[in-house]
Amino acid sequence: MSKEPIRSIKGTQDILPDQSSRWQTLESTIRNTMHTYDYFEIRTPAFENTSLFLHSVGEESDIVSKEMYTWIDQGGENLTLKPELTAPVTRAFIQNNLGGLNPINKLYYIDSLFRRERPQKGRYRQFHQFGVEVFGSEFPEIDVEVISLAMSIFNTLELEGLTLELNSIGSEDCRNNFRTAIKEYLKPNFDKLSETSQKRFKRNPLRILDTKSLEEKTLLKDGPQISDYWTSDDKDHFNEVCELLDKINIKFELSPNLVRGLDYYTRTTFEVTSNLLGAQNAICGGGRYDGLVEQLGGKPTPGIGFAAGMERLLLVNQKSDETIKSQIYVIGLGDSARSLIINIALELRQNNIRTSFDLLRRSIKSQMRDANKLGAKYVIIIGEEELTKNIATIKNLSNGDQEQIPLDSILSHIKSLPLK
Ligand code: AMP
């Protein structure tokens, strides 16, 4: 009786060998740019205490209220697979006293996240983000550096059809006053609001600005604007961010209703969308979170960061990737050739030459077919004649040219060939 094979969990994906080189190229582009901006990598555990997310992302957010993978472990601890990175990185920043070691910390990550969302194109339950978190500077130049770093990675990837949207949700005072005003304004229309907005009205009125409903958008247009509640410092900060972005030729659109879903944001918020994606069109979101370090028990320290979804970047990245090909394939038959082939392959590999040989004890003809399939540039043939004469035949697979060389000069000979 054949068993039903076990399948992967809904919303998770295998990244198979024919896709992994696209991931590697993306990851190396990210790392290279991060390093030119002098950002350093941080890696945090896959799971954390659930309370970390409750106290940062906020109990009313979609992530915390509906999407976390949370469980009580055998020791009775309440744990959660990380659904975002800002809180874990901030926890690590505080716990390891990074602020005491350096007045400014510029950190980056490439990581897997877990959210129990409804899977669809561009939305998964395990997905990947890269991002940065910078602790220590309240000044607009770091807002601009973080935005320009994200845009520079997207430019290097040659992504087209992107829009950078920008807003400031002000300092805490500004948001408190705005919250009162928006509630006041919406109260007479409460019954007309969608169920989601009614919930948000009670728990987190700022998020009503996130609405997708056209009617609610029109209603909001005539209501109080968050910019009317900016303090003069908020206004100066935001103006300076916009001026600096103009000076370095980064195009952006002002988006007065961009509030982002999480509790910890302050002042600058931004999002990058792509017109090549459907409903899930956001590829990157970020902003300032000046109160978060203190909220999580650290010394008051301003912070700013962004996170970009890597699956979505690959969906919009039209650039095709060169598949990696083998360089050398060593062919031979029989017991006496076998150990020689293993030795030749070992020597070539130790010299950074991509080398394969047959592991299925197939015929010479099949081995030749395998070499072609792997895209090898040259084959090294160790046949009976070669074994008796202590030589090897080197064949160029693109033009069929072949030559014979002494066994002990294989490495130097191969190194002299154009292998790329
Ligand atoms: P967020 O942490 O929600 O601000 O998301 C930042 C970015 O991560 C988004 O702009 C998306 O590109 C990506 N993202 C968020 N949720 C998912 C998901 N469930 N699946 C794939 N990508 C996602």
Side-chain angles (χ1 to χ4, degrees):
M1 206 174 58
S2 71
K3 270 205 216 157
E4 200 48 42
I6 296 171
R7 300 186 64 82
S8 60
I9 307 295
K10 199 171 154 198
T12 66
Q13 304 189 94
D14 297 312
I15 299 169
L16 298 176
D18 66 342
Q19 284 296 312
S20 53
S21 67
R22 296 188 75 216
W23 280 86
Q24 287 161 8
T25 308
L26 174 59
E27 286 162 13
S28 59
T29 304
I30 294 164
R31 284 184 202 285
N32 288 342
T33 311
M34 293 293 179
H35 296 156
T36 60
Y37 277 73
D38 271 341
Y39 281 58
F40 295 93
E41 188 180 16
I42 182 159
R43 301 186 189 199
T44 62
F47 53 95
E48 297 273 354
N49 270 308
T50 302
S51 58
L52 174 66
F53 303 109
L54 302 184
H55 294 144
S56 52
V57 180
E59 295 190 39
E60 307 308 337
S61 64
D62 286 349
I63 293 184
V64 170
S65 63
K66 310 194 270 224
E67 298 167 0
M68 295 204 302
Y69 283 98
T70 296
W71 75 102
I72 308 289
D73 82 350
Q74 289 83 341
E77 286 197 80
N78 192 335
L79 305 174
T80 293
L81 285 180
K82 54 183 159 188
E84 60 98 56
L85 262 298
T86 303
V89 172
T90 305
R91 187 225 14 93
F93 167 83
I94 298 167
Q95 184 175 333
N96 297 288
N97 188 29
L98 298 185
L101 304 174
N102 274 310
I104 180 145
N105 280 270
K106 305 201 297 181
L107 309 171
Y108 84 89
Y109 58 80
I110 299 179
D111 211 341
S112 262
L113 312 186
F114 308 86
R115 292 183 195 170
R116 200 175 187 289
E117 294 195 82
R118 199 165 43 79
Q120 64 180 88
K121 189 174 175 209
R123 191 161 74 187
Y124 310 98
R125 289 181 170 176
Q126 177 175 356
F127 60 100
H128 299 78
Q129 285 185 344
F130 77 88
V132 306
E133 312 295 350
V134 180
F135 297 97
S137 174
E138 61 183 308
F139 299 115
E141 43 276 35
I142 190 64
D143 302 45
V144 172
E145 174 170 292
V146 162
I147 293 171
S148 89
L149 167 49
M151 297 314 279
S152 152
I153 291 175
F154 303 147
N155 283 339
T156 311
L157 295 169
E158 296 177 24
L159 303 190
E160 283 168 17
L162 300 188
T163 307
L164 166 65
E165 291 177 42
L166 192 65
N167 190 24
S168 168
I169 56 168
S171 48
E172 207 179 335
D173 284 347
C174 155
R175 283 195 314 284
N176 285 340
N177 293 335
F178 176 70
R179 234 176 250 130
T180 314
I182 193 96
K183 281 183 93 162
E184 207 59 39
Y185 172 74
L186 290 174
K187 214 187 262 164
N189 292 295
F190 183 81
D191 292 340
K192 288 194 213 136
L193 297 178
S194 64
E195 204 183 314
T196 317
S197 292
Q198 287 186 349
K199 268 193 206 147
R200 289 175 176 171
F201 182 94
K202 289 182 188 141
R203 297 175 179 166
N204 188 352
L206 224 66
R207 287 213 51 211
I208 297 178
L209 304 191
D210 265 345
T211 181
K212 299 272 179 286
S213 141
L214 272 183
E215 275 164 47
E216 289 182 2
K217 279 188 178 173
T218 318
L219 183 64
L220 289 169
K221 229 186 216 155
D222 299 327
Q225 300 297 308
I226 206 160
S227 52
D228 298 335
Y229 294 82
W230 288 343
T231 63
S232 67
D233 283 351
D234 291 340
K235 198 183 279 177
D236 291 347
H237 188 276
F238 191 61
N239 286 342
E240 216 175 315
V241 171
C242 295
E243 278 165 24
L244 286 172
L245 285 173
D246 277 337
K247 285 206 174 113
I248 57 170
N249 285 323
I250 293 186
K251 304 261 170 301
F252 58 90
E253 285 178 10
L254 295 179
S255 183
N257 287 346
L258 178 72
V259 289
R260 313 246 326 121
L262 314 181
D263 275 3
Y264 49 63
Y265 286 111
T266 53
R267 288 196 170 160
T268 313
T269 53
F270 61 95
E271 197 158 87
V272 181
T273 54
S274 159
N275 63 12
L276 297 177
L277 290 170
Q280 303 301 319
N281 67 349
I283 58 168
C284 168
R288 214 168 236 294
Y289 42 85
D290 290 343
L292 183 61
V293 177
E294 196 178 6
Q295 197 176 313
L296 289 177
K299 289 194 196 111
T301 311
I304 180 165
F306 72 78
M310 293 169 70
E311 280 79 3
R312 291 192 200 169
L313 285 183
L314 289 173
L315 281 173
V316 293
N317 186 2
Q318 309 283 338
K319 219 166 78 176
S320 67
D321 203 41
E322 263 179 55
T323 41
I324 301 166
K325 290 188 173 145
S326 183
Q327 293 173 312
I328 303 292
Y329 195 104
V330 199
I331 285 180
L333 208 56
D335 294 343
S336 28
R338 196 164 299 127
S339 64
L340 187 56
I341 288 174
I342 293 177
N343 261 310
I344 295 170
L346 181 68
E347 193 180 23
L348 294 175
R349 288 166 174 172
Q350 281 169 343
N351 282 275
N352 286 327
I353 298 167
R354 295 181 74 105
T355 307
S356 277
F357 61 89
D358 177 48
L359 294 164
L360 296 172
R361 300 196 176 180
R362 287 174 284 195
S363 68
I364 296 277
K365 211 168 145 197
S366 298
Q367 292 185 39
M368 196 57 111
R369 221 180 286 132
D370 197 27
N372 275 307
K373 198 169 149 202
L374 288 170
K377 287 249 155 203
Y378 297 89
V379 287
I380 300 175
I381 304 165
I382 312 288
E384 266 172 44
E385 186 199 344
E386 283 84 359
L387 276 175
T388 46
K389 292 192 189 159
N390 262 338
I391 55 164
T393 300
I394 315 277
K395 183 172 179 181
N396 180 331
L397 286 185
S398 41
N399 60 15
D401 287 353
Q402 55 182 62
E403 56 189 318
Q404 295 193 316
I405 53 155
L407 272 187
D408 57 11
S409 63
I410 290 183
L411 178 63
S412 56
H413 185 80
I414 294 288
K415 275 183 158 174
S416 73
L417 296 172
L419 290 174
K420 292 271 182 266

